Amino acid sequence: MSEIVTYLTFFVLAAFLGYSVITKIPATLHTPLMSGSNAITGITLVGAVVVAGSGSTTLATALGFVAVVMATINVVGGYLVSHFMLSDFHGGGD
Amino acid sequence: MVEVFSDTVLSTVYLVAAILFIQGLRDMTHPRTAVRGNFTSAAGMFVAVAATIVWFEILQPWVMIAGLVVGTAIGVGLSVTVKMTEMPQLVGLFNGLGGGASALVAGAEVLQLGSTNGGVLPVDVGVAAAASGIVGAVTFTGSMVAAGKLHGLITGSAIRYNGEHVVKLAFLLVAMLSGLHMVVHPNLLGNSLQGAWIPSYWVLIVAASALGVLLVIPIGGADMPVVIALLNAYSGLAAAGTGFVLGNSALIIAGTLVGAAGMILTVIMCESMNRSLSNVLFGGFGQEAASTEEMDEIYEGNITETSPEEVEMLLDTAGRVVIVPGYGMAVAQAQHAVAELAELLDENGVDVEFGIHPVAGRMPGHMNVLLAEADVPYDMMKELEVINPTFSQTDVVIVTGSNDVVNPLANTDDSSPISGMPVLNVGEAGTVVVNKRSLSPGFSGIPNPLFAEDNCLMLFGDGQEMMQECVSQYKETH
């Protein structure tokens, strides 16, 4: 039970932290923010590689493989398109 | 899951990854540091994934490696070939894949617990898995429909039918009851069957997938910025839910950060249209198009047409020019011509800026990335609150491909569907040039009295052609 409370603590603190950081991001950068934060959701890849590599049942392995492919597209694609967009922004003092 | 080393070390690495994600987001607050922020965030991801691979004993390394290779190839392929105008559907697609992956990982973990733990599924894990499964599956299919609409594979207009809310509610109930069944009776169908399939979880996935389609199908194209932002929030929450299933702090923190980002953007988009979220999701915007009589009454005899030559003469004497881009500019691929015109004006000492409405385009900030791609300097792009007070000191406003966001009815007509929506008050400027193909109404389906104003000139024609002609006219005389 204490474990779930710890995780809930992470959840609530991360929500407040996320709110205070993200409200400071200007509207101009909202699209790159979206694709960048989108890439962060690919963190589920951490779970996917474990499931795919666990070899516990064939079905779990198959599901894990599909999950790894999907999450990797999300991570790699998300960071790449964010990079392409952000490197287009000129005149910000760079 | 067999752990090779102690959990403490892995948890510490996840903490480092979380710090890198947060620092990466903090760097996104300015374009000067944003590129670095993206790298910082990507480094966090690399650390988290690499540590996971090293720390867990991988019994099927080839399956995992094959998945990583295939995913990387597809991700790189899509990213390098995408056009900036197609960015919203690509981001939507990626978003959906992240949500779908979370639902699958949660399912696979439930399945493993079912086969290894004597079929016992702890209540908290079951609840988290059900939540992650529903949100993840809705995100997956909802994003696919949104991407399909944005890409023109599915009609962009709202598809509505009688009793649609009842149907949606029914699917939501089936999904939730399946989740409840999984938590309360994980063994009802016997250990072996349950261990192999966990049928209730897959019923839940099917129902939630159908729900995702049903939720997005009735939403029209103009509401896409809200939908894309909301689905972004969902994909984060699905990842956080999967974090609860796996007992993984990295997933919880990272997923929640994304959930917060998506929610904030959703709220900003709703405020920019002065509409509630439920109104966007269930309201059906722009259902009734304006009648011809209604439009004739406003437009008849009051429309002044203009030409690129005349626009050039106006620009010649202007001291301050504001350009207002909209989705039509993106469709016509006119951003490069518009950027060139702005550059020419700037070189000739004209004070030139872009006024960008928050919901112009198909995702939050869409116009800004299009203009950035066309080399418009960041400092020239101004938000609604900044640009609005300057219109009265502006000589010429060029509106290209935007309609509802410059409609004065939002301020004057309480019965209008866009009543109360913050708009760009371009009519306060000396002269307004509106580039549009015809007088057809925008997504709201209502006429725009701005077009009939004395200081408004209509430049009918394709955005790209007209802007390029303005550029060549301007070049000839300067």
Tab-separated table of all heavy atoms in Angstrom, chain B residues 307-336:
chain	number	residue	atom	x	y	z
B	307	SER	N	-6.238	44.384	-56.700
B	307	SER	CA	-5.303	43.611	-57.513
B	307	SER	C	-3.916	43.702	-56.877
B	307	SER	O	-3.656	44.604	-56.080
B	307	SER	CB	-5.240	44.215	-58.909
B	307	SER	OG	-4.754	45.543	-58.799
B	308	PRO	N	-3.007	42.802	-57.244
B	308	PRO	CA	-1.644	42.878	-56.696
B	308	PRO	C	-0.992	44.240	-56.969
B	308	PRO	O	-0.239	44.725	-56.117
B	308	PRO	CB	-0.911	41.754	-57.427
B	308	PRO	CG	-1.966	40.769	-57.771
B	308	PRO	CD	-3.201	41.582	-58.043
B	309	GLU	N	-1.306	44.851	-58.118
B	309	GLU	CA	-0.722	46.166	-58.442
B	309	GLU	C	-1.143	47.203	-57.393
B	309	GLU	O	-0.340	47.984	-56.911
B	309	GLU	CB	-1.186	46.654	-59.830
B	309	GLU	CG	-0.675	45.844	-61.019
B	309	GLU	CD	-1.455	44.551	-61.226
B	309	GLU	OE1	-2.617	44.456	-60.741
B	309	GLU	OE2	-0.913	43.608	-61.852
B	310	GLU	N	-2.455	47.155	-57.084
B	310	GLU	CA	-2.976	48.127	-56.131
B	310	GLU	C	-2.415	47.864	-54.718
B	310	GLU	O	-2.095	48.803	-53.980
B	310	GLU	CB	-4.506	48.021	-56.113
B	310	GLU	CG	-5.188	49.287	-55.675
B	310	GLU	CD	-6.700	49.126	-55.672
B	310	GLU	OE1	-7.231	48.288	-56.439
B	310	GLU	OE2	-7.338	49.838	-54.888
B	311	VAL	N	-2.270	46.586	-54.392
B	311	VAL	CA	-1.700	46.236	-53.091
B	311	VAL	C	-0.282	46.778	-52.998
B	311	VAL	O	0.131	47.323	-51.972
B	311	VAL	CB	-1.712	44.702	-52.883
B	311	VAL	CG1	-0.970	44.325	-51.604
B	311	VAL	CG2	-3.139	44.177	-52.840
B	312	GLU	N	0.441	46.672	-54.117
B	312	GLU	CA	1.815	47.170	-54.140
B	312	GLU	C	1.846	48.664	-53.852
B	312	GLU	O	2.695	49.143	-53.083
B	312	GLU	CB	2.437	46.860	-55.507
B	312	GLU	CG	3.926	47.061	-55.571
B	312	GLU	CD	4.302	48.514	-55.734
B	312	GLU	OE1	3.604	49.245	-56.473
B	312	GLU	OE2	5.284	48.931	-55.095
B	313	MET	N	0.901	49.398	-54.448
B	313	MET	CA	0.865	50.853	-54.226
B	313	MET	C	0.574	51.183	-52.763
B	313	MET	O	1.155	52.104	-52.193
B	313	MET	CB	-0.188	51.495	-55.124
B	313	MET	CG	0.306	51.665	-56.554
B	313	MET	SD	-0.896	52.571	-57.540
B	313	MET	CE	-1.839	51.260	-58.249
B	314	LEU	N	-0.324	50.387	-52.177
B	314	LEU	CA	-0.626	50.587	-50.756
B	314	LEU	C	0.614	50.366	-49.896
B	314	LEU	O	0.908	51.130	-48.980
B	314	LEU	CB	-1.709	49.599	-50.315
B	314	LEU	CG	-3.154	49.932	-50.623
B	314	LEU	CD1	-4.020	48.701	-50.372
B	314	LEU	CD2	-3.610	51.090	-49.755
B	315	LEU	N	1.335	49.276	-50.227
B	315	LEU	CA	2.517	48.916	-49.434
B	315	LEU	C	3.616	49.966	-49.591
B	315	LEU	O	4.409	50.194	-48.685
B	315	LEU	CB	3.041	47.536	-49.863
B	315	LEU	CG	2.115	46.357	-49.558
B	315	LEU	CD1	2.694	45.072	-50.136
B	315	LEU	CD2	1.890	46.203	-48.060
B	316	ASP	N	3.622	50.586	-50.775
B	316	ASP	CA	4.624	51.600	-51.101
B	316	ASP	C	4.625	52.755	-50.112
B	316	ASP	O	5.676	53.304	-49.781
B	316	ASP	CB	4.287	52.131	-52.495
B	316	ASP	CG	5.542	52.256	-53.321
B	316	ASP	OD1	6.582	51.757	-52.851
B	316	ASP	OD2	5.468	52.842	-54.415
B	317	THR	N	3.432	53.125	-49.669
B	317	THR	CA	3.324	54.289	-48.793
B	317	THR	C	3.157	53.903	-47.322
B	317	THR	O	3.016	54.767	-46.462
B	317	THR	CB	2.106	55.143	-49.204
B	317	THR	OG1	0.956	54.299	-49.236
B	317	THR	CG2	2.305	55.755	-50.574
B	318	ALA	N	3.165	52.598	-47.058
B	318	ALA	CA	2.893	52.144	-45.687
B	318	ALA	C	4.132	52.246	-44.811
B	318	ALA	O	5.249	52.008	-45.248
B	318	ALA	CB	2.393	50.701	-45.703
B	319	GLY	N	3.908	52.638	-43.568
B	319	GLY	CA	4.995	52.663	-42.594
B	319	GLY	C	4.981	51.424	-41.720
B	319	GLY	O	6.002	50.957	-41.232
B	320	ARG	N	3.774	50.889	-41.507
B	320	ARG	CA	3.655	49.673	-40.698
B	320	ARG	C	2.670	48.699	-41.363
B	320	ARG	O	1.560	49.089	-41.741
B	320	ARG	CB	3.180	50.006	-39.288
B	320	ARG	CG	2.953	48.778	-38.427
B	320	ARG	CD	2.579	49.123	-36.991
B	320	ARG	NE	1.996	47.961	-36.333
B	320	ARG	CZ	2.697	46.941	-35.853
B	320	ARG	NH1	4.016	46.943	-35.936
B	320	ARG	NH2	2.103	45.917	-35.292
B	321	VAL	N	3.106	47.441	-41.511
B	321	VAL	CA	2.288	46.414	-42.142
B	321	VAL	C	2.210	45.202	-41.215
B	321	VAL	O	3.214	44.807	-40.616
B	321	VAL	CB	2.905	45.987	-43.503
B	321	VAL	CG1	2.128	44.822	-44.110
B	321	VAL	CG2	2.939	47.167	-44.473
B	322	VAL	N	1.004	44.651	-41.068
B	322	VAL	CA	0.851	43.407	-40.305
B	322	VAL	C	0.269	42.342	-41.221
B	322	VAL	O	-0.683	42.607	-41.962
B	322	VAL	CB	-0.066	43.599	-39.066
B	322	VAL	CG1	-0.341	42.263	-38.392
B	322	VAL	CG2	0.562	44.562	-38.076
B	323	ILE	N	0.861	41.175	-41.206
B	323	ILE	CA	0.365	40.057	-42.013
B	323	ILE	C	-0.305	39.050	-41.079
B	323	ILE	O	0.272	38.671	-40.054
B	323	ILE	CB	1.512	39.385	-42.793
B	323	ILE	CG1	2.191	40.419	-43.711
B	323	ILE	CG2	0.989	38.200	-43.604
B	323	ILE	CD1	3.435	39.911	-44.400
B	324	VAL	N	-1.541	38.654	-41.412
B	324	VAL	CA	-2.280	37.692	-40.594
B	324	VAL	C	-2.448	36.394	-41.382
B	324	VAL	O	-3.240	36.331	-42.318
B	324	VAL	CB	-3.665	38.247	-40.180
B	324	VAL	CG1	-4.474	37.186	-39.444
B	324	VAL	CG2	-3.505	39.487	-39.323
B	325	PRO	N	-1.675	35.358	-41.046
B	325	PRO	CA	-1.770	34.094	-41.785
B	325	PRO	C	-2.802	33.157	-41.178
B	325	PRO	O	-3.054	33.198	-39.970
B	325	PRO	CB	-0.374	33.502	-41.623
B	325	PRO	CG	0.095	34.003	-40.289
B	325	PRO	CD	-0.619	35.312	-40.015
B	326	GLY	N	-3.393	32.322	-42.028
B	326	GLY	CA	-4.330	31.316	-41.550
B	326	GLY	C	-4.085	29.993	-42.240
B	326	GLY	O	-3.136	29.863	-43.023
B	327	TYR	N	-4.965	29.038	-41.965
B	327	TYR	CA	-4.754	27.701	-42.516
B	327	TYR	C	-4.734	27.706	-44.043
B	327	TYR	O	-4.019	26.926	-44.666
B	327	TYR	CB	-5.826	26.744	-42.005
B	327	TYR	CG	-5.579	25.324	-42.409
B	327	TYR	CD1	-4.452	24.650	-41.951
B	327	TYR	CD2	-6.450	24.655	-43.259
B	327	TYR	CE1	-4.199	23.347	-42.329
B	327	TYR	CE2	-6.209	23.348	-43.638
B	327	TYR	CZ	-5.079	22.702	-43.169
B	327	TYR	OH	-4.837	21.405	-43.545
B	328	GLY	N	-5.527	28.609	-44.646
B	328	GLY	CA	-5.550	28.704	-46.102
B	328	GLY	C	-4.164	28.985	-46.680
B	328	GLY	O	-3.825	28.504	-47.764
B	329	MET	N	-3.349	29.754	-45.947
B	329	MET	CA	-1.984	30.010	-46.390
B	329	MET	C	-1.193	28.705	-46.445
B	329	MET	O	-0.435	28.450	-47.392
B	329	MET	CB	-1.285	30.993	-45.442
B	329	MET	CG	0.133	31.316	-45.843
B	329	MET	SD	1.115	32.100	-44.525
B	329	MET	CE	1.535	30.680	-43.505
B	330	ALA	N	-1.411	27.867	-45.442
B	330	ALA	CA	-0.706	26.586	-45.395
B	330	ALA	C	-1.141	25.697	-46.554
B	330	ALA	O	-0.316	25.063	-47.215
B	330	ALA	CB	-0.977	25.889	-44.066
B	331	VAL	N	-2.451	25.655	-46.800
B	331	VAL	CA	-2.973	24.811	-47.872
B	331	VAL	C	-2.421	25.263	-49.221
B	331	VAL	O	-2.028	24.446	-50.056
B	331	VAL	CB	-4.520	24.855	-47.890
B	331	VAL	CG1	-5.065	24.124	-49.107
B	331	VAL	CG2	-5.080	24.256	-46.616
B	332	ALA	N	-2.349	26.589	-49.417
B	332	ALA	CA	-1.860	27.120	-50.687
B	332	ALA	C	-0.329	27.115	-50.745
B	332	ALA	O	0.248	27.500	-51.758
B	332	ALA	CB	-2.382	28.539	-50.887
B	333	GLN	N	0.319	26.682	-49.672
B	333	GLN	CA	1.788	26.693	-49.595
B	333	GLN	C	2.328	28.095	-49.872
B	333	GLN	O	3.336	28.269	-50.559
B	333	GLN	CB	2.388	25.715	-50.621
B	333	GLN	CG	2.046	24.274	-50.375
B	333	GLN	CD	2.964	23.640	-49.332
B	333	GLN	OE1	3.980	24.199	-48.945
B	333	GLN	NE2	2.570	22.492	-48.827
B	334	ALA	N	1.641	29.098	-49.338
B	334	ALA	CA	1.995	30.484	-49.638
B	334	ALA	C	2.977	31.059	-48.621
B	334	ALA	O	3.363	32.218	-48.718
B	334	ALA	CB	0.729	31.340	-49.681
B	335	GLN	N	3.415	30.240	-47.641
B	335	GLN	CA	4.240	30.805	-46.568
B	335	GLN	C	5.572	31.370	-47.056
B	335	GLN	O	6.075	32.350	-46.511
B	335	GLN	CB	4.452	29.792	-45.420
B	335	GLN	CG	5.242	28.551	-45.759
B	335	GLN	CD	4.349	27.411	-46.208
B	335	GLN	OE1	3.325	27.619	-46.839
B	335	GLN	NE2	4.740	26.190	-45.917
B	336	HIS	N	6.137	30.762	-48.122
B	336	HIS	CA	7.429	31.260	-48.607
B	336	HIS	C	7.266	32.619	-49.288
B	336	HIS	O	8.082	33.520	-49.087
B	336	HIS	CB	8.068	30.241	-49.546
B	336	HIS	CG	8.453	28.970	-48.843
B	336	HIS	ND1	9.601	28.854	-48.107
B	336	HIS	CD2	7.798	27.795	-48.711
B	336	HIS	CE1	9.655	27.641	-47.566
B	336	HIS	NE2	8.564	26.979	-47.916
